[in-house]
Amino acid sequence: MSLQKPYKDIPGTVIFDAEQSRLGYWLNQFCMSLMKADNRARFKADERAYLDEWAMSEEQKQAVLDRDLNRCIALGGNIYFLAKIGATDGKSFQQMAGSMTGMTEEEYRDMMLAGGRSAEGNRYPGEDGDAQPQHQPQGKAGQANTGDKH
């Protein structure tokens, strides 16, 4: 008997529960390996070769290579572990969070200082709030096509 998960209906939100933990186990273990300088150097020298040492799915590896943190989260990544990728790339947590919303670092900072994203229109699927899938990614960073995925 599976557990009921009413939280799966929260737009723009993936809850890191036991199922997500199992799904992302090797992805998160890879992220934790980046805490060691030698591993960070090996990863930066040949990202694909280093990722291939881990029992991650091809989709997880590609999400890491693309630095698609939202996809990493959907595939079981925990944001606190994924932060190790950002740190390896020299990115702040604020820069990472901004990239996940399609906002510039400044837009994200200003939104958070103003109280964060409104719950209005974002309480359940089908509403028209800014966290709804049809509005992602929003902000200048999400609209610009620079070709730089990092």
Side-chain angles (χ1 to χ4, degrees):
M1 175 169 92
S2 67
L3 296 175
Q4 290 209 357
K5 299 181 180 184
Y7 51 79
K8 287 214 174 229
D9 286 344
I10 303 169
T13 302
V14 175
I15 305 297
F16 190 76
D17 59 8
E19 182 180 343
Q20 284 298 104
S21 177
R22 283 188 299 278
L23 178 64
Y25 179 81
W26 289 112
L27 170 59
N28 293 315
Q29 291 299 304
F30 149 74
C31 291
M32 292 303 291
S33 79
L34 298 176
M35 292 179 64
K36 295 183 177 180
D38 289 347
N39 291 338
R40 289 191 300 273
R42 288 180 51 230
F43 175 63
K44 293 308 283 182
D46 188 341
E47 293 183 3
R48 183 64 207 209
Y50 189 75
L51 287 171
D52 284 342
E53 296 177 20
W54 296 90
M56 297 162 49
S57 72
E58 184 58 36
E59 196 173 6
Q60 289 170 325
K61 292 175 186 180
Q62 193 59 53
V64 170
L65 291 169
D66 293 342
R67 300 305 194 269
D68 186 342
L69 300 175
N70 289 324
R71 191 73 194 126
C72 286
I73 287 173
L75 296 170
N78 180 295
I79 190 58
Y80 297 106
F81 297 132
L82 294 171
K84 309 303 187 245
I85 299 170
T88 298
D89 289 340
K91 305 268 183 188
S92 70
F93 199 85
Q94 185 169 289
Q95 287 171 310
M96 290 177 59
S99 79
M100 294 169 71
T101 62
M103 296 180 189
T104 64
E105 180 181 5
E106 294 78 19
E107 287 175 315
Y108 182 80
R109 179 199 61 226
D110 292 347
M111 177 194 67
M112 294 306 289
L113 288 172
R117 185 179 279 165
S118 171
E120 200 60 41
N122 294 314
R123 291 185 180 94
Y124 57 85
E127 289 189 301
D128 198 36
D130 62 0
Q132 297 285 337
Q134 68 270 20
H135 298 296
Q136 296 293 324
Q138 75 276 7
K140 291 178 187 166
Q143 296 165 0
N145 185 5
T146 65
D148 180 17
K149 295 179 183 177
H150 301 250

